[in-house]
C-alpha cells in the first residue's frame, strides 16, 4: 500500500477522475509492480479487501482467475465501484473463470444496470468467440428495445454486443447496422484520428473491411 501511495500522481488522478476512477497511479507502473509480484492469490484477496482502487487493480493483476468461487466473484463485481476496476475484473478474472457462463446469464438479467453491463460484456465475448447456443436474433431484439434509454455503462456494453453480432455474423449484419443507424447511440462520440468509432454501424463496417484485407 505504501508503494502504491508513492506512485500516486495528481495529474493522473485528475484525468482518471473525469472517467469516474478515483486513483492516480500510472497503469504502466502498476503493471510493473504486478509483474514483480507475480501471481499471489492470498495477497490479491488482501489487497481487494482494502477497498482502495489502485490496490484492487493490482489485486486483479496478481490473481489466479480460476481460484475464485461464483459467489465471491458476484460480491466482488457488486463492490467494484469504479469503471476501471469493473472492466478489469470482468476481462482479466471473470472471463477466465469456470463460472463465467453462469454469471453471464445471472448478471444480464440483474436489475442493477452496472451489474447487467458485466453480463452484456460477457455476452459480447461469447458472440465473438463461442456463439453456439446464443439466440442472436433475440439479443438484437433486446438491444433494439432497450439500448437507446439504457444508463451509460449498460448502453456501452449493449452497443459492443450489437457491434460484435454485426462483425462476426454476416447473416445478422444488415439488421445490426440498421438498429445502430436508427438508435444513433454513440453516433457523435469523439474519436481520435486513427481510432475506430464506437458507433456500431461505423465499427461494424470498419472491422469487416479489415477482415476483407487479411491474406
Amino acid at each position: 500500500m505504501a508503494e502504491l501511495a508513492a506512485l500516486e500522481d495528481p495529474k493522473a488522478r485528475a484525468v482518471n477522475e473525469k472517467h469516474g476512477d478515483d486513483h492516480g497511479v500510472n497503469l504502466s507502473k502498476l503493471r510493473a509492480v504486478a509483474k514483480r509480484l507475480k501471481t499471489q492469490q492470498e495477497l490479491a484477496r488482501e489487497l481487494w479487501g482494502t477497498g482502495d482502487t489502485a490496490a484492487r487493480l493490482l489485486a486483479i493483476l496478481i490473481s489466479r482467475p480460476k481460484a475464485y468461487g461464483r459467489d465471491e466473484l458476484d460480491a466482488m463485481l457488486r463492490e467494484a465501484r469504479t469503471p476501471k476496476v469493473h472492466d478489469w475484473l470482468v476481462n482479466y478474472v471473470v472471463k477466465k473463470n469456470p463460472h463465467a457462463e453462469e454469471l453471464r446469464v445471472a448478471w444480464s438479467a440483474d436489475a442493477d444496470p452496472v451489474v447487467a453491463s458485466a453480463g452484456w460484456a460477457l455476452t459480447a465475448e461469447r458472440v465473438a468467440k463461442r456463439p453456439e447456443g446464443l439466440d442472436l436474433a433475440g439479443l438484437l431484439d433486446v438491444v433494439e428495445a432497450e439500448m437507446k434509454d439504457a444508463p451509460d455503462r449498460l448502453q456501452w456494453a449493449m452497443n459492443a454486443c450489437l457491434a460484435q453480432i454485426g462483425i462476426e455474423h454476416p447473416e445478422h449484419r444488415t439488421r445490426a447496422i440498421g438498429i445502430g443507424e436508427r438508435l444513433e447511440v454513440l453516433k457523435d462520440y469523439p474519436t481520435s484520428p486513427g481510432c475506430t468509432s464506437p458507433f456500431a454501424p461505423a465499427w461494424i463496417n470498419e472491422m469487416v473491411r479489415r477482415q476483407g484485407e487479411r491474406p
Side-chain angles (χ1 to χ4, degrees):
M1 293 302 294
E3 187 173 352
L4 289 174
L7 293 174
E8 176 78 22
D9 177 355
K11 289 181 181 176
R13 179 175 285 272
V15 171
N16 289 332
E17 285 181 345
K18 290 179 182 177
H19 303 290
D21 290 311
D22 57 350
H23 76 93
V25 178
N26 177 288
L27 295 181
S28 296
K29 292 179 180 177
L30 190 79
R31 290 181 187 277
V33 175
K35 189 174 182 179
R36 191 186 76 234
L37 291 172
K38 300 187 172 64
T39 302
Q40 294 192 45
Q41 185 62 24
E42 289 313 309
L43 177 58
R45 284 194 167 100
E46 288 179 35
L47 287 169
W48 184 273
T50 67
D52 178 80
T53 293
R56 285 185 163 180
L57 292 172
L58 181 59
I60 290 165
L61 293 176
I62 65 170
S63 284
R64 185 178 295 109
K66 294 178 181 176
Y68 291 102
R70 180 207 180 282
D71 292 345
E72 188 175 16
L73 287 175
D74 183 68
M76 289 170 73
L77 185 86
R78 293 172 194 278
E79 292 170 3
R81 298 167 294 104
T82 64
K84 185 68 73 178
V85 172
H86 175 102
D87 290 345
W88 279 23
L89 182 65
V90 171
N91 286 299
Y92 297 164
V93 178
V94 180
K95 284 181 180 179
K96 300 172 184 176
N97 183 276
H99 301 289
E101 178 60 16
E102 188 183 347
L103 289 168
R104 181 190 74 81
V105 174
W107 288 344
S108 295
D110 200 277
D112 182 336
V114 175
V115 175
S117 75
W120 278 90
L122 293 171
T123 300
E125 168 97 348
R126 264 204 67 187
V127 165
K129 295 184 177 177
R130 292 176 292 103
E132 301 77 17
L134 286 179
D135 177 6
L136 298 179
L139 287 171
L140 289 175
D141 289 343
V142 176
V143 169
E144 192 166 23
E146 300 178 13
M147 182 171 76
K148 182 78 170 177
D149 299 317
D152 284 354
R153 281 160 74 179
L154 177 55
Q155 184 184 69
W156 193 272
M158 293 176 92
N159 183 71
C161 191
L162 172 65
Q164 288 301 331
I165 291 173
I167 293 163
E168 302 292 342
H169 302 278
E171 69 276 20
H172 295 286
R173 186 169 296 150
T174 300
R175 185 183 174 202
I177 290 172
I179 290 171
E181 288 174 341
R182 281 194 302 281
L183 299 185
E184 298 188 332
V185 168
L186 300 174
K187 184 176 182 179
D188 299 318
Y189 191 84
T191 305
S192 303
C195 294
T196 303
S197 169
F199 178 48
W203 186 357
I204 292 166
N205 286 325
E206 173 60 18
M207 297 312 290
V208 170
R209 183 187 69 76
R210 290 185 196 176
Q211 288 172 359
E213 290 180 351
R214 289 178 191 163

